[in-house]
Amino acid sequence: MYDSKEDTLEHIDKVANFINKLDDEILNRGLKHDKSKLEKPEKLIFDEYTPKLKDCTYGSEEYKQYLSEMQVALDHHYKNNRHHPEYFSKYVCGGCFKEFKEVPDRCDICSYSQFQKESDISQMTLIDLCEMIADWKAATLRHANGDIAKSLEINQKRFKYTDELKQILLNTVKEYFE
């Protein structure tokens, strides 16, 4: 008669090894998180704008204006930190709205040659998402009126993620950050 104990113990060991790999990467991300903010061009710009951002409402017109003024630092930051949806891009055809991972010369569907660059959260990994939600939660603590639930609503529109992902992120905050 078959005894499942050996197979089950082997399965448990494999799962533990996979979880350890995820754990190692999450710990590594925590140690390296946002180190680019300590370098040029980010440091000088964040020195000026972090106090300003603290006193404004996330998503407000004032907030968006500050981000616009910080663009050089933000471009550098997003390019070097994959926990931001802006690290990943897609290009959307202005004629038929087909999405491309790389910007083509012309759309193969409608031959249009103008494309809109957008962030693409769908290219992120679960590790990226874990670091992202920890970052977003910590960012709300920097604002006088920070609210992670409101931030998730705003970011859903900004990054076009599903209600399901929004709920998973909110569940994660409730389970681990409150």
Side-chain angles (χ1 to χ4, degrees):
M1 181 170 186
Y2 171 74
D3 182 350
S4 65
K5 181 178 179 180
E6 187 177 321
D7 285 344
T8 300
L9 290 172
E10 184 179 329
H11 173 75
I12 290 168
D13 187 52
K14 286 179 181 177
V15 170
N17 285 330
F18 290 140
I19 288 174
N20 286 336
K21 287 183 92 168
L22 296 170
D23 184 48
D24 288 347
E25 182 59 21
I26 287 174
L27 289 172
N28 186 41
R29 295 287 187 98
L31 294 172
K32 296 189 323 186
H33 180 79
D34 279 357
K35 293 274 177 137
S36 67
K37 285 185 177 178
L38 303 173
E39 305 167 358
K40 290 181 181 179
E42 294 181 45
K43 171 100 173 51
L44 293 173
I45 296 171
F46 278 100
D47 285 349
E48 177 182 352
Y49 282 92
T50 299
K52 294 176 182 179
L53 290 168
K54 182 179 181 179
D55 294 325
C56 73
T57 300
Y58 181 74
S60 67
E61 289 307 313
E62 179 184 35
Y63 180 86
K64 291 174 186 175
Q65 179 61 38
Y66 288 150
L67 291 187
S68 175
E69 294 168 11
M70 298 174 66
Q71 199 60 57
V72 169
L74 293 174
D75 287 346
H76 183 271
H77 187 71
Y78 298 148
K79 181 179 177 186
N80 289 284
N81 294 278
R82 63 177 289 135
H83 66 276
H84 290 283
E86 296 92 341
Y87 179 91
F88 301 94
S89 299
K90 65 182 174 186
Y91 299 88
V92 180
C93 175
C96 69
F97 307 108
K98 180 178 177 182
E99 296 179 359
F100 297 87
K101 296 257 189 239
E102 302 289 329
V103 62
D105 291 329
R106 292 201 171 278
C107 178
D108 59 355
I109 301 292
C110 69
S111 297
Y112 207 71
S113 61
Q114 293 185 352
F115 301 87
Q116 178 69 35
K117 182 179 180 182
E118 294 182 2
S119 300
D120 189 5
I121 199 168
S122 72
Q123 294 182 51
M124 295 177 85
T125 68
L126 283 175
I127 301 298
D128 297 330
L129 292 173
C130 288
E131 185 179 3
M132 179 191 77
I133 193 59
D135 187 38
W136 288 0
K137 173 60 179 174
T140 64
L141 301 176
R142 287 180 149 187
H143 290 267
N145 62 350
D147 179 343
I148 189 63
K150 185 175 179 183
S151 293
L152 288 171
E153 288 287 334
I154 292 167
N155 287 335
Q156 184 180 27
K157 292 178 184 77
R158 182 177 175 191
F159 299 118
K160 301 177 183 171
Y161 53 79
T162 65
D163 288 338
E164 290 83 3
L165 179 55
K166 180 178 69 177
Q167 188 60 53
I168 290 167
L169 295 171
L170 191 56
N171 294 345
T172 303
V173 168
K174 289 178 180 175
E175 184 75 21
Y176 298 102
F177 304 151
E178 291 181 352

